[in-house]
Amino acid sequence: MVAPRLERDGGAAYPLRALAERHYQRVEVGLVLEIDARGKVVRASVDRARGHGFDEVALEAAKQLEFSPATRNGTPVAARIRFRYVFEPPPAALRVQAVDATTGTPLGGARVTLEAAKGSPRTLPGAGGGSFTAADLPHGRVRVRVEADGHAAQSSDVTLIPGDDTEIVFRLPALRWEHIQV
């Protein structure tokens, strides 16, 4: 007997329910699939419930799976197999805007650095006009530091949430130099 071979898997998105319930872990959902002699999934069941919407999303995605059928002596036959979906929390996104505190003018030459508890500091690429964006960040707490020539640097701690867009505006005060006559 030759087992069925996966031909198409549209995937399964991290459940919105899990995100709403602040469940941000990697989750594996094991399924038992019954596949007919045409390679179509006719029944799917979860081998161990995971909750938070993972089971429902996996079962719905299993309906869209396409297989080449199992064969016995070259003849297509029905089969029962185990299948697994792995859910990774979606990345967090961060948008930072750096502007002059007095005028509100975007600070095009600003620099933005992120420091997480683990890992090396990361500099965000500028999108122009004092805007910075990163869409592939791990979730958790990060320190965001913004510097611009002629302005006082600022830092803020931000908690990034999987699947969310976090936006923060830094209003940097200009440095004032006073002339002292002697």
Side-chain angles (χ1 to χ4, degrees), residues 1 4 34-38 69-70 72 75-80:
M1 180 162 177
E34 293 181 28
I35 302 168
D36 68 14
R38 295 174 294 136
R72 180 178 291 132
T75 303
V77 294
R80 187 174 174 172

Side-chain angles (χ1 to χ4, degrees), residues 28-159:
E28 293 184 16
V29 176
L31 300 175
V32 176
L33 304 179
E34 293 181 28
I35 302 168
D36 68 14
R38 295 174 294 136
K40 180 170 173 43
V41 176
V42 293
R43 187 170 296 121
S45 60
V46 174
D47 66 1
R48 189 174 69 149
R50 296 308 208 162
H52 303 288
F54 291 101
D55 306 326
E56 295 83 356
V57 169
L59 289 169
E60 192 61 33
K63 294 177 183 177
Q64 307 306 315
L65 294 171
E66 293 178 13
F67 290 86
S68 61
T71 57
R72 180 178 291 132
N73 298 325
T75 303
V77 294
R80 187 174 174 172
I81 66 167
R82 293 196 175 276
F83 191 83
R84 180 175 53 126
Y85 275 109
V86 178
F87 295 90
E88 297 285 351
L94 175 66
R95 281 192 273 249
V96 176
Q97 181 73 37
V99 298
D100 182 275
T102 304
T103 65
T105 305
L107 298 172
R111 295 165 304 284
V112 175
T113 306
L114 304 180
E115 292 182 46
K118 297 177 183 175
S120 303
R122 175 177 174 184
T123 301
L124 294 186
S131 292
F132 301 83
T133 303
D136 59 347
L137 299 171
H139 67 280
R141 188 175 207 102
V142 295
R143 175 160 291 239
V144 181
R145 180 171 174 78
V146 180
E147 300 174 271
D149 293 339
H151 291 78
Q154 288 185 353
S155 296
S156 181
D157 289 335
V158 177
T159 300

